[in-house]
Amino acid sequence: MENVAGVSHYGDYKNVEVFEHPLIKHKISLLRDKNTGTREFRNLVEEIASFEAYEAFRNLPLMDVEVETPIEKCMTPMIDGKKLTIVPILRAGLGMVNGITNMIPTAKVGHVGLYRNPETHEPHEYFCKLPEQIDHRVVAILDPMLATGGSAISAVDILKKHGAKKIKFLCIMAAPEGIKALAEAHPDIEIYIGNVDRGLNDDAYIVPGLGDAGDRIFGTK
Ligand code: PRP
Ligand code: URA
């Protein structure tokens, strides 16, 4: 990935970019606040996802198509190829979907259901439904949290098993442990991160983090 303003590479990983934009940093700080309620939390996750998508999809291929303006016909660029696919990891990834479909209304949406075992922190798959011809599509996996990296690695494994080749992973917050694990397990994907936090606690939660993203998005605690 080329380096552009607004993002920086993480460490020596050429495939990991961290957002530096002040709007993203500001909104992430609001997400951290335990007094931020469900409605605001959801809105913030959506807004951050939109900003991230704007950057993460900057290298989508274009092709010239003919359009007739009120003045004359012209050739003008539009996104080429099969419809982009986004794949939220259930549950928390769902919170990022609208932020991206607001910008890319024609995007297909697949779903991968994974939950972390609270004791072992290992991911378990419980659902997978993907659009057809996934091998011809750019696929962006969405999950606000990259903690140990287990869920993200498993989601990429599942997508690759179904034939996906061009994969991006978009998250809002990540621990260094999860970045290392994902970047090393799947060096061929692009990883976009809103903020890198300090690390993980004994329950494998990101610190300082924002708590349980799924519970905060869906108001289940
Ligand atoms: C959370 C989060 C990620 C995962 C990250 O999901 O949304 O999917 O944990 O942790 P990891 O990097 O250590 O795998 P969780 O399993 O809590 O499920 P939920 O979204 O249904 O709450
Ligand atoms: N999942 C979450 O929702 N939060 C964390 O901090 C880690 C995993």
Side-chain angles (χ1 to χ4, degrees):
M1 286 189 280
E2 80 228 57
N3 212 345
V4 292
V7 292
S8 62
H9 287 306
Y10 178 75
D12 292 334
Y13 299 111
K14 292 276 176 281
N15 59 331
V16 180
E17 289 194 355
V18 181
F19 291 91
E20 302 298 347
H21 200 290
L23 288 177
I24 293 188
K25 297 299 185 198
H26 180 87
K27 287 174 191 294
I28 288 176
S29 299
L30 295 174
L31 282 183
R32 293 189 193 284
D33 188 339
K34 66 177 185 182
N35 295 313
T36 297
T38 303
R39 188 167 68 164
E40 194 190 351
F41 194 93
R42 268 187 211 145
N43 287 342
L44 287 163
V45 167
E46 259 185 54
E47 287 172 351
I48 295 167
S50 289
F51 283 125
E52 292 197 358
Y54 186 78
E55 190 58 48
F57 299 129
R58 69 177 181 273
N59 56 7
L60 287 181
L62 292 169
M63 69 172 292
D64 279 343
V65 297
E66 188 177 274
V67 168
E68 191 167 357
T69 77
I71 311 295
E72 63 175 29
K73 282 186 187 164
C74 66
M75 296 302 285
T76 189
M78 287 195 179
I79 291 169
D80 191 16
K82 290 249 170 250
K83 299 277 183 298
L84 175 84
T85 296
I86 53 176
V87 178
I89 300 181
L90 308 180
R91 290 175 303 165
L94 287 174
M96 298 172 74
V97 169
N98 288 349
I100 296 181
T101 54
N102 286 343
M103 288 186 64
I104 312 173
T106 56
K108 305 261 183 193
V109 185
H111 294 87
V112 170
L114 295 169
Y115 73 90
R116 271 196 340 174
N117 178 306
E119 262 88 57
T120 64
H121 310 132
E122 290 290 317
H124 294 273
E125 180 184 344
Y126 61 87
F127 187 76
C128 180
K129 182 82 182 166
L130 300 171
E132 288 173 354
Q133 296 184 296
I134 200 83
D135 50 327
H136 290 109
R137 301 177 189 279
V138 173
V139 182
I141 300 173
L142 313 177
D143 194 326
M145 310 304 275
L146 178 63
T148 64
S151 303
I153 292 170
S154 175
V156 179
D157 286 341
I158 292 166
L159 281 164
K160 284 186 175 173
K161 205 171 68 196
H162 283 82
K165 292 181 183 74
K166 292 184 205 131
I167 301 175
K168 299 171 191 277
F169 178 82
L170 275 61
C171 68
I172 293 179
M173 202 169 271
E177 297 88 327
I179 301 171
K180 182 174 189 301
L182 178 59
E184 290 178 6
H186 293 292
D188 55 327
I189 70 165
E190 294 175 12
I191 302 168
Y192 295 91
I193 298 168
N195 195 71
V196 180
D197 272 28
R198 195 170 73 243
L200 297 173
N201 67 13
D202 292 343
D203 296 322
Y205 272 79
I206 297 176
V207 284
L210 52 74
D212 188 300
D215 284 342
R216 294 199 65 190
I217 290 167
F218 295 106
T220 40
K221 237 178 214 164

Coordinates of all heavy atoms in Angstrom, one line a residue, residues 70-148:
P70 N -26.1 17.6 -19.4 CA -27.0 18.5 -20.1 C -26.4 19.2 -21.2 O -27.0 19.8 -22.1 CB -27.5 19.5 -19.0 CG -27.3 18.7 -17.7 CD -26.1 17.8 -17.9
I71 N -25.0 19.1 -21.2 CA -24.3 19.9 -22.3 C -23.9 19.0 -23.4 O -24.0 19.3 -24.6 CB -23.0 20.5 -21.7 CG1 -23.3 21.2 -20.4 CG2 -22.2 21.4 -22.7 CD1 -24.2 22.5 -20.5
E72 N -23.3 17.8 -23.1 CA -22.8 16.9 -24.2 C -22.5 15.5 -23.6 O -22.5 15.3 -22.4 CB -21.5 17.4 -24.8 CG -20.4 17.5 -23.8 CD -19.1 17.9 -24.4 OE1 -19.1 18.7 -25.4 OE2 -18.0 17.5 -23.9
K73 N -22.3 14.5 -24.5 CA -21.8 13.2 -24.0 C -20.4 13.3 -23.6 O -19.6 14.0 -24.3 CB -22.0 12.2 -25.1 CG -23.4 11.7 -25.3 CD -23.5 10.6 -26.4 CE -24.9 10.3 -26.7 NZ -25.0 9.5 -27.9
C74 N -20.0 12.5 -22.6 CA -18.6 12.4 -22.3 C -18.3 11.0 -21.7 O -19.2 10.3 -21.3 CB -18.2 13.5 -21.3 SG -19.0 13.3 -19.6
M75 N -17.0 10.7 -21.7 CA -16.5 9.5 -21.0 C -16.0 9.9 -19.6 O -15.3 10.9 -19.5 CB -15.3 8.9 -21.8 CG -15.7 8.4 -23.2 SD -17.0 7.2 -23.2 CE -16.2 5.7 -22.5
T76 N -16.5 9.2 -18.6 CA -16.2 9.7 -17.2 C -16.1 8.5 -16.3 O -16.7 7.4 -16.6 CB -17.3 10.7 -16.8 OG1 -17.0 11.3 -15.6 CG2 -18.7 10.0 -16.6
P77 N -15.2 8.5 -15.3 CA -14.8 7.3 -14.6 C -15.9 6.8 -13.6 O -16.5 7.6 -12.9 CB -13.5 7.6 -13.9 CG -13.5 9.1 -13.8 CD -14.3 9.6 -14.9
M78 N -16.1 5.5 -13.5 CA -16.9 4.9 -12.5 C -16.2 3.6 -12.0 O -15.3 3.1 -12.7 CB -18.3 4.5 -13.0 CG -19.2 5.7 -13.2 SD -20.9 5.2 -13.4 CE -21.7 6.8 -13.6
I79 N -16.6 3.2 -10.8 CA -15.9 2.0 -10.2 C -16.1 0.8 -11.1 O -17.3 0.5 -11.5 CB -16.4 1.8 -8.8 CG1 -15.8 2.9 -7.9 CG2 -15.9 0.4 -8.2 CD1 -16.4 3.0 -6.5
D80 N -15.0 0.1 -11.4 CA -15.1 -1.1 -12.3 C -15.2 -2.4 -11.6 O -15.0 -2.4 -10.3 CB -13.7 -1.1 -13.1 CG -13.7 -2.0 -14.2 OD1 -14.8 -2.4 -14.7 OD2 -12.6 -2.3 -14.7
G81 N -15.6 -3.4 -12.3 CA -15.6 -4.7 -11.7 C -16.9 -5.1 -11.0 O -17.8 -4.3 -10.9
K82 N -16.9 -6.3 -10.4 CA -18.1 -6.8 -9.6 C -18.3 -5.9 -8.4 O -17.4 -5.3 -7.9 CB -17.8 -8.2 -9.2 CG -17.8 -9.2 -10.3 CD -19.0 -10.1 -10.2 CE -19.2 -10.9 -11.4 NZ -20.3 -10.6 -12.3
K83 N -19.5 -5.9 -7.9 CA -19.9 -5.1 -6.8 C -19.0 -5.4 -5.6 O -18.8 -6.6 -5.2 CB -21.3 -5.3 -6.4 CG -22.3 -4.9 -7.5 CD -22.6 -3.4 -7.4 CE -23.6 -3.0 -8.5 NZ -23.3 -3.3 -9.9
L84 N -18.5 -4.4 -4.9 CA -17.7 -4.5 -3.7 C -18.6 -5.2 -2.7 O -19.8 -5.1 -2.6 CB -17.5 -3.1 -3.2 CG -16.8 -2.9 -1.9 CD1 -15.3 -3.1 -2.1 CD2 -17.1 -1.6 -1.3
T85 N -17.9 -6.0 -1.8 CA -18.6 -6.8 -0.8 C -18.1 -6.4 0.6 O -16.9 -6.3 0.8 CB -18.5 -8.3 -1.0 OG1 -19.1 -8.6 -2.2 CG2 -19.1 -9.1 0.1
I86 N -19.0 -6.1 1.5 CA -18.6 -5.9 2.9 C -19.1 -7.1 3.7 O -20.2 -7.6 3.4 CB -19.1 -4.6 3.5 CG1 -20.6 -4.4 3.4 CG2 -18.3 -3.4 2.8 CD1 -21.1 -3.1 4.0
V87 N -18.3 -7.5 4.7 CA -18.6 -8.7 5.5 C -18.4 -8.3 7.0 O -17.3 -8.4 7.5 CB -17.8 -9.9 5.1 CG1 -18.1 -11.1 6.0 CG2 -17.9 -10.3 3.7
P88 N -19.5 -7.9 7.6 CA -19.4 -7.7 9.1 C -19.2 -9.0 9.8 O -19.9 -10.0 9.5 CB -20.7 -7.0 9.4 CG -21.7 -7.4 8.4 CD -20.9 -7.6 7.1
I89 N -18.4 -9.0 10.8 CA -18.3 -10.1 11.8 C -19.4 -9.8 12.8 O -19.4 -8.8 13.5 CB -16.9 -10.2 12.4 CG1 -15.8 -10.4 11.4 CG2 -16.9 -11.4 13.4 CD1 -14.4 -10.6 11.9
L90 N -20.3 -10.8 12.9 CA -21.4 -10.6 13.9 C -20.8 -10.8 15.3 O -19.9 -11.6 15.5 CB -22.5 -11.7 13.7 CG -23.0 -11.8 12.2 CD1 -24.1 -12.9 12.1 CD2 -23.6 -10.4 11.8
R91 N -21.4 -10.0 16.2 CA -22.4 -9.0 16.1 C -21.8 -7.6 15.8 O -22.4 -6.8 15.0 CB -23.1 -8.8 17.4 CG -24.0 -9.9 17.9 CD -24.6 -9.6 19.2 NE -23.5 -9.4 20.2 CZ -23.8 -8.8 21.4 NH1 -25.0 -8.3 21.7 NH2 -22.8 -8.6 22.3
A92 N -20.7 -7.3 16.4 CA -20.3 -5.9 16.5 C -20.0 -5.2 15.1 O -20.2 -4.1 14.9 CB -19.1 -5.7 17.4
G93 N -19.6 -6.1 14.2 CA -19.3 -5.5 12.8 C -20.5 -5.0 12.2 O -20.4 -4.1 11.3
L94 N -21.7 -5.4 12.6 CA -22.9 -4.9 12.0 C -23.0 -3.4 12.2 O -23.6 -2.7 11.4 CB -24.2 -5.5 12.7 CG -24.4 -7.0 12.3 CD1 -25.6 -7.5 13.1 CD2 -24.8 -7.1 10.8
G95 N -22.5 -2.9 13.3 CA -22.5 -1.5 13.6 C -21.8 -0.6 12.6 O -22.1 0.6 12.5
M96 N -20.9 -1.2 11.8 CA -20.2 -0.4 10.8 C -20.8 -0.5 9.4 O -20.4 0.3 8.5 CB -18.7 -1.0 10.7 CG -17.9 -0.9 12.0 SD -16.3 -1.7 11.9 CE -15.4 -0.7 10.9
V97 N -21.8 -1.3 9.2 CA -22.4 -1.6 7.9 C -23.0 -0.3 7.3 O -22.7 0.1 6.1 CB -23.4 -2.7 7.9 CG1 -24.2 -2.8 6.6 CG2 -22.7 -4.0 8.1
N98 N -23.9 0.4 8.0 CA -24.6 1.5 7.4 C -23.6 2.6 7.0 O -23.8 3.3 6.0 CB -25.7 2.1 8.4 CG -26.8 1.1 8.4 OD1 -27.0 0.2 7.7 ND2 -27.7 1.4 9.4
G99 N -22.6 2.8 7.8 CA -21.6 3.8 7.5 C -21.0 3.6 6.1 O -20.6 4.6 5.5
I100 N -20.9 2.4 5.7 CA -20.3 2.1 4.4 C -21.3 2.0 3.3 O -21.1 2.6 2.2 CB -19.5 0.8 4.5 CG1 -18.3 1.0 5.5 CG2 -18.9 0.4 3.1 CD1 -17.4 -0.1 5.7
T101 N -22.5 1.5 3.6 CA -23.5 1.4 2.5 C -24.1 2.8 2.3 O -24.6 3.1 1.2 CB -24.7 0.4 2.9 OG1 -25.2 0.7 4.2 CG2 -24.2 -1.0 2.8
N102 N -24.0 3.7 3.2 CA -24.3 5.1 2.9 C -23.5 5.7 1.8 O -23.9 6.5 1.0 CB -24.2 6.0 4.2 CG -25.3 5.8 5.2 OD1 -26.3 5.2 4.9 ND2 -25.0 6.2 6.4
M103 N -22.2 5.3 1.8 CA -21.3 5.8 0.8 C -21.3 5.0 -0.4 O -21.0 5.5 -1.5 CB -19.8 5.8 1.4 CG -19.6 6.9 2.4 SD -17.9 6.9 2.9 CE -17.1 7.5 1.4
I104 N -21.5 3.6 -0.3 CA -21.4 2.7 -1.4 C -22.7 1.9 -1.4 O -22.8 0.8 -1.0 CB -20.2 1.8 -1.3 CG1 -18.9 2.6 -1.0 CG2 -20.0 1.0 -2.6 CD1 -17.7 1.8 -0.7
P105 N -23.8 2.5 -1.9 CA -25.2 1.9 -1.7 C -25.3 0.6 -2.4 O -26.1 -0.3 -2.1 CB -26.2 2.9 -2.3 CG -25.4 4.2 -2.5 CD -23.9 3.8 -2.5
T106 N -24.4 0.3 -3.5 CA -24.6 -0.9 -4.2 C -23.7 -2.1 -3.6 O -23.7 -3.2 -4.2 CB -24.1 -0.7 -5.7 OG1 -22.8 -0.2 -5.7 CG2 -25.0 0.3 -6.4
A107 N -23.1 -1.8 -2.5 CA -22.2 -2.9 -2.0 C -23.1 -4.1 -1.6 O -24.2 -3.9 -1.1 CB -21.5 -2.3 -0.7
K108 N -22.5 -5.3 -1.8 CA -23.2 -6.5 -1.3 C -22.8 -6.7 0.1 O -21.7 -6.3 0.5 CB -22.7 -7.7 -2.1 CG -22.9 -7.6 -3.6 CD -24.1 -8.3 -4.1 CE -24.3 -8.2 -5.6 NZ -25.6 -8.6 -6.0
V109 N -23.6 -7.4 0.9 CA -23.3 -7.6 2.3 C -23.3 -9.1 2.6 O -24.4 -9.7 2.5 CB -24.2 -6.8 3.2 CG1 -23.8 -7.0 4.7 CG2 -24.3 -5.3 2.8
G110 N -22.2 -9.7 3.0 CA -22.1 -11.0 3.5 C -22.0 -11.0 5.0 O -21.9 -9.9 5.6
H111 N -22.2 -12.1 5.7 CA -22.1 -12.1 7.1 C -21.3 -13.3 7.6 O -21.5 -14.4 7.1 CB -23.5 -12.2 7.7 CG -24.4 -11.0 7.5 ND1 -25.1 -10.9 6.3 CD2 -24.6 -9.9 8.2 CE1 -25.8 -9.7 6.4 NE2 -25.4 -9.1 7.5
V112 N -20.5 -13.1 8.6 CA -19.8 -14.2 9.2 C -20.1 -14.0 10.7 O -19.9 -13.0 11.3 CB -18.2 -14.1 9.0 CG1 -17.5 -15.1 9.9 CG2 -17.9 -14.4 7.5
G113 N -20.6 -15.1 11.3 CA -20.9 -15.1 12.8 C -19.8 -15.8 13.6 O -19.5 -16.9 13.3
L114 N -19.2 -15.0 14.5 CA -18.1 -15.6 15.3 C -18.3 -15.1 16.7 O -18.7 -13.9 16.9 CB -16.7 -15.1 14.9 CG -16.2 -15.6 13.5 CD1 -15.0 -14.8 13.1 CD2 -15.9 -17.0 13.5
Y115 N -18.1 -15.9 17.7 CA -18.1 -15.4 19.1 C -16.9 -15.9 19.8 O -16.4 -17.0 19.5 CB -19.4 -15.7 19.9 CG -19.5 -17.2 20.3 CD1 -18.9 -17.6 21.5 CD2 -20.0 -18.1 19.5 CE1 -19.0 -18.9 21.9 CE2 -20.1 -19.5 19.8 CZ -19.6 -19.8 21.1 OH -19.6 -21.2 21.4
R116 N -16.3 -15.1 20.7 CA -15.1 -15.5 21.5 C -15.6 -16.3 22.7 O -16.4 -15.8 23.5 CB -14.4 -14.2 22.0 CG -13.4 -13.7 21.0 CD -12.5 -12.7 21.6 NE -12.8 -12.1 22.9 CZ -11.9 -11.3 23.5 NH1 -10.7 -11.1 23.0 NH2 -12.2 -10.7 24.6
N117 N -15.0 -17.4 22.9 CA -15.2 -18.2 24.1 C -14.6 -17.3 25.3 O -13.5 -16.9 25.2 CB -14.5 -19.5 24.1 CG -14.6 -20.3 25.3 OD1 -14.4 -19.8 26.4 ND2 -15.1 -21.5 25.2
P118 N -15.5 -17.0 26.3 CA -15.0 -16.1 27.3 C -13.8 -16.6 28.1 O -13.0 -15.8 28.6 CB -16.2 -15.9 28.3 CG -17.3 -16.7 27.7 CD -16.8 -17.4 26.5
E119 N -13.6 -18.0 28.2 CA -12.5 -18.5 29.0 C -11.2 -18.6 28.1 O -10.2 -18.1 28.4 CB -12.8 -19.9 29.5 CG -13.2 -19.8 31.0 CD -14.7 -19.6 31.1 OE1 -15.4 -20.5 30.6 OE2 -15.1 -18.7 31.8
T120 N -11.4 -19.2 26.9 CA -10.2 -19.5 26.1 C -9.9 -18.3 25.2 O -8.8 -18.2 24.6 CB -10.4 -20.7 25.2 OG1 -11.5 -20.5 24.3 CG2 -10.7 -22.0 26.0
H121 N -10.9 -17.5 24.9 CA -10.8 -16.3 24.0 C -10.7 -16.8 22.5 O -10.4 -16.0 21.6 CB -9.7 -15.4 24.3 CG -9.7 -15.0 25.8 ND1 -8.6 -15.0 26.6 CD2 -10.7 -14.6 26.5 CE1 -8.9 -14.6 27.8 NE2 -10.2 -14.3 27.8
E122 N -10.9 -18.1 22.3 CA -10.8 -18.7 20.9 C -12.1 -18.3 20.2 O -13.2 -18.4 20.8 CB -10.7 -20.2 21.0 CG -9.4 -20.7 21.5 CD -8.3 -20.5 20.5 OE1 -8.5 -20.7 19.3 OE2 -7.2 -20.0 20.9
P123 N -12.1 -18.0 18.9 CA -13.3 -17.7 18.1 C -14.0 -19.0 17.7 O -13.4 -20.0 17.4 CB -12.8 -17.0 16.9 CG -11.4 -17.5 16.7 CD -10.9 -17.9 18.1
H124 N -15.4 -18.9 17.7 CA -16.2 -20.1 17.2 C -17.1 -19.6 16.2 O -17.8 -18.6 16.4 CB -17.0 -20.7 18.4 CG -16.1 -21.3 19.4 ND1 -15.6 -22.6 19.3 CD2 -15.5 -20.8 20.5 CE1 -14.8 -22.9 20.3 NE2 -14.7 -21.8 21.0
E125 N -17.1 -20.3 15.0 CA -18.0 -19.9 13.9 C -19.4 -20.4 14.1 O -19.6 -21.6 14.5 CB -17.4 -20.4 12.6 CG -18.2 -20.0 11.4 CD -17.7 -20.7 10.1 OE1 -16.6 -21.2 10.0 OE2 -18.5 -20.7 9.1
Y126 N -20.4 -19.6 13.9 CA -21.8 -20.1 14.0 C -22.6 -19.7 12.8 O -23.8 -20.1 12.7 CB -22.5 -19.6 15.3 CG -22.6 -18.1 15.5 CD1 -23.7 -17.4 15.0 CD2 -21.6 -17.4 16.2 CE1 -23.8 -16.0 15.2 CE2 -21.7 -16.0 16.4 CZ -22.8 -15.4 15.9 OH -22.8 -14.0 16.1
F127 N -22.1 -18.8 11.9 CA -22.9 -18.4 10.7 C -22.0 -18.0 9.6 O -20.9 -17.4 9.9 CB -23.8 -17.3 11.1 CG -24.8 -16.9 10.0 CD1 -25.9 -17.7 9.8 CD2 -24.6 -15.8 9.2 CE1 -26.8 -17.4 8.8 CE2 -25.5 -15.5 8.2 CZ -26.6 -16.3 8.0
C128 N -22.3 -18.3 8.4 CA -21.6 -17.7 7.2 C -22.5 -17.7 6.0 O -23.1 -18.7 5.6 CB -20.4 -18.6 6.9 SG -19.5 -18.0 5.5
K129 N -22.7 -16.5 5.5 CA -23.5 -16.4 4.3 C -22.9 -15.3 3.4 O -22.7 -14.1 3.9 CB -24.9 -16.0 4.6 CG -25.9 -15.8 3.5 CD -26.4 -17.2 3.0 CE -27.3 -17.0 1.8 NZ -27.6 -18.3 1.1
L130 N -22.4 -15.7 2.2 CA -21.6 -14.7 1.4 C -22.2 -14.6 0.0 O -22.9 -15.5 -0.5 CB -20.2 -15.3 1.2 CG -19.4 -15.4 2.5 CD1 -18.1 -16.2 2.3 CD2 -19.1 -14.1 3.2
P131 N -22.1 -13.4 -0.6 CA -22.6 -13.3 -2.0 C -21.8 -14.2 -3.0 O -20.7 -14.7 -2.7 CB -22.2 -11.8 -2.4 CG -21.8 -11.2 -1.1 CD -21.4 -12.2 -0.2
E132 N -22.5 -14.5 -4.1 CA -21.8 -15.4 -5.1 C -20.6 -14.7 -5.7 O -20.5 -13.4 -5.6 CB -22.8 -15.6 -6.2 CG -24.0 -16.5 -5.8 CD -25.0 -16.7 -6.9 OE1 -25.0 -15.9 -7.9 OE2 -25.9 -17.5 -6.7
Q133 N -19.8 -15.5 -6.3 CA -18.6 -15.0 -7.0 C -17.7 -14.1 -6.2 O -17.2 -13.1 -6.6 CB -19.0 -14.2 -8.3 CG -19.7 -15.1 -9.3 CD -20.0 -14.4 -10.6 OE1 -20.8 -13.4 -10.6 NE2 -19.4 -14.8 -11.7
I134 N -17.5 -14.6 -4.9 CA -16.7 -13.8 -4.0 C -15.3 -13.7 -4.5 O -14.5 -12.8 -4.1 CB -16.8 -14.5 -2.6 CG1 -16.4 -13.5 -1.5 CG2 -16.0 -15.8 -2.5 CD1 -17.5 -12.6 -1.0
D135 N -14.9 -14.7 -5.3 CA -13.5 -14.7 -5.8 C -13.2 -13.5 -6.8 O -12.1 -13.2 -7.0 CB -13.2 -16.0 -6.5 CG -14.2 -16.5 -7.5 OD1 -15.4 -16.1 -7.3 OD2 -13.9 -17.1 -8.5
H136 N -14.3 -12.9 -7.3 CA -14.1 -11.8 -8.2 C -14.4 -10.4 -7.6 O -14.4 -9.4 -8.3 CB -15.0 -11.9 -9.5 CG -14.6 -13.1 -10.4 ND1 -15.3 -14.2 -10.5 CD2 -13.5 -13.2 -11.1 CE1 -14.7 -15.0 -11.3 NE2 -13.6 -14.4 -11.7
R137 N -14.6 -10.4 -6.3 CA -15.0 -9.2 -5.6 C -13.9 -8.7 -4.7 O -13.2 -9.5 -4.1 CB -16.2 -9.4 -4.8 CG -17.4 -9.8 -5.6 CD -18.6 -10.1 -4.8 NE -19.7 -10.7 -5.5 CZ -20.5 -10.1 -6.4 NH1 -20.4 -8.8 -6.5 NH2 -21.4 -10.7 -7.0
V138 N -13.8 -7.4 -4.5 CA -13.0 -6.8 -3.4 C -13.9 -7.0 -2.1 O -15.1 -6.6 -2.1 CB -12.7 -5.3 -3.6 CG1 -12.1 -4.7 -2.3 CG2 -11.8 -5.1 -4.8
V139 N -13.3 -7.6 -1.1 CA -14.1 -7.9 0.1 C -13.5 -7.2 1.3 O -12.3 -7.3 1.6 CB -14.1 -9.4 0.4 CG1 -14.9 -9.8 1.7 CG2 -14.5 -10.3 -0.8
A140 N -14.4 -6.4 2.0 CA -13.9 -5.7 3.2 C -14.6 -6.3 4.5 O -15.8 -6.3 4.6 CB -14.2 -4.2 3.1
I141 N -13.8 -6.9 5.3 CA -14.3 -7.5 6.6 C -14.4 -6.3 7.6 O -13.5 -5.5 7.7 CB -13.3 -8.6 7.1 CG1 -13.2 -9.7 6.1 CG2 -13.8 -9.1 8.5 CD1 -12.2 -10.7 6.5
L142 N -15.5 -6.3 8.3 CA -15.7 -5.2 9.3 C -15.8 -5.7 10.7 O -16.6 -6.7 10.9 CB -17.0 -4.4 9.0 CG -17.3 -4.0 7.5 CD1 -18.7 -3.4 7.4 CD2 -16.2 -3.1 7.0
D143 N -15.1 -5.2 11.6 CA -15.2 -5.5 13.0 C -14.6 -4.3 13.8 O -13.4 -4.0 13.6 CB -14.5 -6.8 13.4 CG -14.9 -7.4 14.7 OD1 -15.2 -6.5 15.6 OD2 -14.9 -8.6 14.9
P144 N -15.3 -3.7 14.7 CA -14.7 -2.6 15.4 C -13.4 -3.0 16.2 O -12.6 -2.1 16.4 CB -15.8 -2.1 16.4 CG -17.0 -2.8 16.0 CD -16.7 -4.0 15.1
M145 N -13.4 -4.2 16.7 CA -12.3 -4.6 17.6 C -11.4 -5.7 17.1 O -11.8 -6.7 16.7 CB -13.0 -5.1 18.9 CG -14.0 -4.2 19.5 SD -13.5 -2.5 19.8 CE -12.8 -2.7 21.4
L146 N -10.1 -5.4 17.2 CA -9.0 -6.4 16.9 C -8.3 -6.6 18.2 O -7.4 -5.8 18.5 CB -8.1 -5.9 15.7 CG -7.0 -6.8 15.3 CD1 -7.5 -8.1 14.7 CD2 -6.1 -6.0 14.3
A147 N -8.6 -7.6 18.9 CA -8.0 -7.8 20.3 C -6.9 -8.8 20.2 O -5.7 -8.5 19.9 CB -9.1 -8.2 21.3
T148 N -7.2 -10.1 20.4 CA -6.1 -11.1 20.2 C -5.8 -11.4 18.7 O -4.8 -11.9 18.3 CB -6.5 -12.5 20.8 OG1 -7.7 -13.0 20.1 CG2 -6.9 -12.4 22.3

